[in-house]
Amino acid sequence: MELLPLVCLCLLSCSGETSAAGDGVRVVVKEDDDAVLPCSPSTKEDITRKLFDWKKDGQKEVFMYDSGIHYNNGRPGQDEQFKGRVSHFQDQLKNGNASIKIHNTKMADSGNYSCDFPRLQPRQTFNIELVVGAAPRPIIDTLADTKHWSLLQCEAHGDPLPTVEWKDSAGYVLRAEKPHISERGGRSYITVKTTVTKSDTYSCVATQKEISHQIATVTSVHLADDEFRLNTQVISSKSVDVENVSN
């Protein structure tokens, strides 16, 4: 199975991963990261003296800016959920950038946001979906090992809870134990164990198909038994070469 192209094997940036989602935009971030919600009128005009209003789910006041007055410098009306957590890009207003940053995101911040320019002619409104809960890199542990095998464990979390697979360096899915799901600190965790019997590079891949997010952690396993067989093969090969030379 190929890795989903949206996120690949890299960590999300602090502003999240942005993609098209129907008629709007989807921003995906890990919990506790910052999320940048993009917005700009089609005219790209200077909006320093304009009005734009951000709302969540059509009701909650997230951030309103009106000719320099906004929720961070005295304007009342911001929803309690967002007080002290939302900022805009003041130096980019002249370029038509009405984007906002929500700091230290929580699961409750997930939802549909709108960025509205009610006084523009024609009026312009943009829709952004924020998804908080992208899985961070899985955590890999070696639970036990001998010179013949190694028992690996992978733990991942996210909302929605990801599926977890073990893969070898060739991309083949390994046989693994039945996933174990546990609750800790108000979060759900999924743990998957696998036993490997050869030296190789192995990946634990966490996939959230619902939000098109995939991320992995890689580990290398070196088994003493493989090194012994490899050294034996090298010595045997050298012996044959010497005999050929003698002849």
Side-chain angles (χ1 to χ4, degrees):
M1 185 181 83
E2 295 183 356
L3 297 184
L4 296 175
L6 180 61
V7 180
C8 300
L9 297 182
C10 59
L11 283 172
L12 294 174
S13 66
C14 67
S15 60
E17 193 73 24
T18 304
S19 64
D23 294 331
V25 171
R26 172 184 287 168
V27 175
V28 180
V29 297
K30 301 189 298 291
E31 190 174 19
D32 298 325
D33 275 0
D34 296 343
V36 174
L37 306 188
C39 179
S40 181
S42 58
T43 57
K44 305 296 183 182
E45 63 186 278
D46 185 348
I47 56 174
T48 305
R49 309 303 300 174
K50 303 292 184 180
L51 165 69
F52 59 88
D53 185 20
W54 281 89
K55 289 185 179 181
K56 179 179 184 292
D57 299 326
Q59 296 178 340
K60 290 185 177 181
E61 280 290 341
V62 179
F63 189 83
M64 179 181 286
Y65 175 97
D66 188 1
S67 301
I69 305 300
H70 50 82
Y71 288 143
N72 291 337
N73 66 2
R75 186 182 185 93
Q78 188 177 31
D79 190 274
E80 287 292 332
Q81 178 181 343
F82 299 101
K83 284 187 176 180
R85 299 178 53 227
V86 183
S87 60
H88 69 301
F89 299 89
Q90 180 66 38
D91 60 339
Q92 292 296 314
L93 294 176
K94 61 182 181 296
N95 300 321
N97 187 355
S99 303
I100 57 172
K101 178 184 287 189
I102 301 177
H103 301 267
N104 193 28
T105 57
K106 303 300 179 186
M107 297 292 187
D109 295 328
S110 294
N112 296 308
Y113 291 73
S114 62
C115 173
D116 183 33
F117 294 88
R119 296 176 186 167
L120 291 185
Q121 297 297 327
R123 181 174 186 166
Q124 295 185 39
T125 302
F126 302 89
N127 299 308
I128 296 89
E129 178 187 5
L130 174 61
V131 180
V132 180
R137 282 189 184 275
I139 297 175
I140 294 177
D141 290 310
T142 301
L143 300 183
D145 60 354
T146 70
K147 66 179 182 179
H148 303 294
W149 54 264
S150 183
L151 176 60
L152 305 178
Q153 174 180 282
C154 177
E155 182 180 76
H157 69 88
D159 185 24
L161 191 66
T163 58
V164 172
E165 291 180 319
W166 278 100
K167 294 185 178 183
D168 62 17
S169 60
Y172 292 105
V173 177
L174 306 181
R175 296 183 65 178
E177 296 181 15
K178 183 178 179 180
H180 174 70
I181 297 175
S182 59
E183 300 289 331
R184 192 165 70 245
R187 289 177 173 171
S188 295
Y189 291 80
I190 180 170
T191 304
V192 179
K193 300 176 183 178
T194 188
T195 300
V196 298
T197 56
K198 68 175 183 178
S199 298
D200 197 1
T201 299
Y202 297 95
S203 301
C204 174
V205 185
T207 304
Q208 295 165 295
K209 289 185 177 180
E210 300 90 336
I211 58 176
S212 301
H213 174 60
Q214 188 173 76
I215 193 167
T217 299
V218 179
T219 189
S220 295
V221 174
H222 301 283
L223 299 180
D225 195 42
D226 283 350
E227 294 179 3
F228 174 77
R229 285 197 301 269
L230 179 60
N231 291 335
T232 301
Q233 291 172 358
V234 171
I235 293 173
S236 175
S237 175
K238 287 183 177 179
S239 298
V240 171
D241 290 342
V242 171
E243 290 175 1
N244 288 337
V245 170
S246 299
N247 292 334

